[in-house]
Amino acid sequence: MKLSHFNFNLPKELLAEFPAENRDESRLMVIDRKKNTIEHKMFKDVINYFDDGDVLILNNTKVFPARLYGNKEKTGARIEVFLLRELNSEQRLWDVLVDPARKIRIGNKLYFGDDDSLVAEVIDNTTSRGRTLRFLYDGSYEEFRNKLTELGETPIPKYINREVTAEDAERYQTIYAKEEGAVAAPTAGLHFSKHLLKKLEIKGVNFAEVTLHVGLGTFNPVEVEDLSKHKMDSEELIINQKACDIVNEGKAKKKRICAVGTTSMRAIESSVSSANTLNPYEGWTNKFIFPPHDFSIANCMITNFHTPKSTLLMMISAFCGHDLMKKAYDEAIKEGYKFYSYGDAMLIL
């Protein structure tokens, strides 16, 4: 398959700028691969598709307020700094993106906060927009991290063309988020409310939690026509023994194993045993899933609607079947489904 197979016209008005009023009341398209059918539901109807012993695999990563605004020394120019990952906690070194990048050189200092209580020095160039910063802050590591949280804002995606609101801090986060480290939300999970999770639990559905810290690479465009030549950014992944036991038991009993989101799917496909069971894992993954791909663990998945030519769309095509995926997307556009991070959801059975 080529990159051009994943292009389609997406009307601008279908990109969701705000989340649905209630998490579990976004729309849900249900696709049955065996029957080749498409149904239109509400997200809370998802409960009707799961029974006792079925497993939902959740990515419990937590988004941190990764976007900071500072001022350059001497000129006072406003600079956006996007925190990507911590490189060294003792030295307070961070991998970041800066914008506008052309103004930021090694040796420059940036000042943050009304009182300039946080300062950073540029110590390296990594990519055209990438820099390594050393933060200078008088205080303990915990105080430093608190300062980053205080000054940072929720990193809603750039295509959402509006100011960040207080609501975003809550809604651009799953209700089961625990392990801080993501700069983008695992968005399929945003549809679950406490109430819906409780109802699933009462029904006997089991939850296996994995941690994949979503990086900005999830938004990186694919720029090669030959998909086998595309390189994914690495993201940190942790799968513990408890999650493996829940998943493997469900699998042995031939239950529904549902990956909630492309990040959960990428996580579990990154650590499969020769017997097609889930293995514990701690490290990094740059797994890129595109057609054709044999999925080893999950037999159904929940996902949002993705943008043209995205790696996420390629995974959906591999799981759903390309023709059925195209049919579903044509239908979603015709029916006015909302796309992307704050958009509607799809359940693929």
Side-chain angles (χ1 to χ4, degrees):
M1 299 221 78
K2 301 272 192 274
L3 176 64
S4 45
H5 290 130
F6 297 93
N7 201 12
F8 62 92
N9 284 327
L10 178 58
K12 258 212 159 71
E13 64 272 15
L14 295 186
L15 283 178
E17 295 263 318
F18 292 92
E21 193 176 339
N22 297 312
R23 284 181 186 268
D24 56 14
E25 288 183 351
S26 45
R27 294 167 74 189
L28 177 72
M29 179 184 279
V30 182
I31 297 175
D32 190 312
R33 293 177 293 172
K34 280 201 187 96
K35 297 179 188 161
N36 213 30
T37 55
I38 295 173
E39 292 182 287
H40 305 288
K41 304 282 185 183
M42 297 286 281
F43 191 80
K44 56 189 176 189
D45 298 328
V46 86
I47 192 158
N48 301 326
Y49 297 90
F50 295 96
D51 284 311
D52 186 30
D54 289 341
V55 179
L56 289 180
I57 301 169
L58 310 174
N59 181 6
N60 67 10
T61 188
K62 188 174 186 180
V63 179
F64 65 92
R67 194 173 274 131
L68 299 168
Y69 292 96
N71 297 97
K72 192 178 164 189
E73 64 178 335
K74 295 183 183 146
T75 65
R78 180 172 147 104
I79 306 292
E80 179 189 310
V81 172
F82 197 101
L83 302 172
L84 290 177
R85 60 176 70 105
E86 186 174 49
L87 300 173
N88 184 311
S89 57
E90 275 176 43
Q91 296 181 33
R92 297 178 188 173
L93 294 183
W94 280 76
D95 225 347
V96 305
L97 294 177
V98 291
D99 198 19
R102 66 186 189 294
K103 295 183 174 179
I104 302 301
R105 298 191 173 90
I106 294 172
N108 286 160
K109 282 201 170 77
L110 300 171
Y111 293 84
F112 302 91
D114 296 337
D115 54 356
D116 296 344
S117 55
L118 183 63
V119 183
E121 184 181 3
V122 181
I123 62 167
D124 198 8
N125 291 337
T126 50
T127 61
S128 58
R129 289 178 56 216
R131 303 288 184 272
T132 303
L133 296 188
R134 177 186 285 120
F135 283 97
L136 313 168
Y137 181 73
D138 292 332
S140 67
Y141 177 71
E142 194 180 343
E143 288 167 333
F144 163 63
R145 287 302 297 247
N146 289 342
K147 181 55 86 173
L148 286 185
T149 300
E150 176 198 318
L151 294 173
E153 68 176 35
T154 305
I156 60 172
K158 277 284 196 197
Y159 77 86
I160 296 182
N161 205 0
R162 61 169 173 80
E163 291 293 310
V164 173
T165 66
E167 184 193 30
D168 289 314
E170 183 211 340
R171 293 299 300 274
Y172 195 62
Q173 193 83 272
T174 64
I175 57 165
Y176 47 78
K178 287 192 189 82
E179 306 295 335
E180 192 169 85
V183 299
T187 54
L190 298 179
H191 303 286
F192 286 93
S193 62
K194 281 200 173 82
H195 185 61
L196 180 57
L197 279 182
K198 194 73 199 161
K199 281 169 76 173
L200 284 159
E201 193 185 322
I202 290 165
K203 218 174 169 186
V205 174
N206 296 314
F207 305 110
E209 294 188 11
V210 298
T211 306
L212 180 82
H213 290 316
V214 191
L216 273 193
T218 190
F219 300 122
N220 277 356
V222 179
E223 289 170 340
V224 285
E225 184 65 10
D226 178 354
L227 300 184
S228 64
K229 295 199 163 49
H230 177 68
K231 293 280 182 287
M232 292 285 278
D233 279 10
S234 288
E235 294 171 324
E236 196 173 0
L237 169 62
I238 299 150
I239 302 173
N240 62 27
Q241 187 63 54
K242 183 183 174 191
C244 295
D245 292 345
I246 293 168
V247 168
N248 294 336
E249 187 184 342
K251 207 165 179 282
K253 291 178 176 170
K254 304 227 174 332
K255 297 292 185 182
R256 254 190 189 150
I257 312 292
C258 182
V260 176
T262 56
T263 63
S264 296
M265 185 68 90
R266 197 156 77 253
I268 58 178
E269 285 294 306
S270 297
S271 189
V272 180
S273 75
S274 54
N276 277 353
T277 56
L278 186 60
N279 275 346
Y281 186 89
E282 193 161 338
W284 296 77
T285 179
N286 62 353
K287 183 92 176 160
F288 174 32
I289 298 172
F290 60 96
H293 180 86
D294 287 331
F295 290 82
S296 305
I297 307 290
N299 51 24
C300 69
M301 79 180 290
I302 292 169
T303 186
N304 278 21
F305 289 91
H306 306 294
T307 47
K309 295 185 178 178
S310 61
T311 57
L312 312 173
L313 185 64
M314 292 161 193
M315 181 194 292
I316 303 313
S317 163
F319 190 75
C320 186
H322 194 70
D323 292 343
L324 185 53
M325 182 274 289
K326 284 195 76 146
K327 181 178 156 191
Y329 268 62
D330 288 345
E331 179 102 350
I333 290 168
K334 192 177 101 210
E335 295 291 330
Y337 275 74
K338 292 290 191 187
F339 277 64
Y340 226 26
S341 300
Y342 275 151
D344 294 314
M346 176 189 274
L347 169 64
I348 307 170
L349 300 171

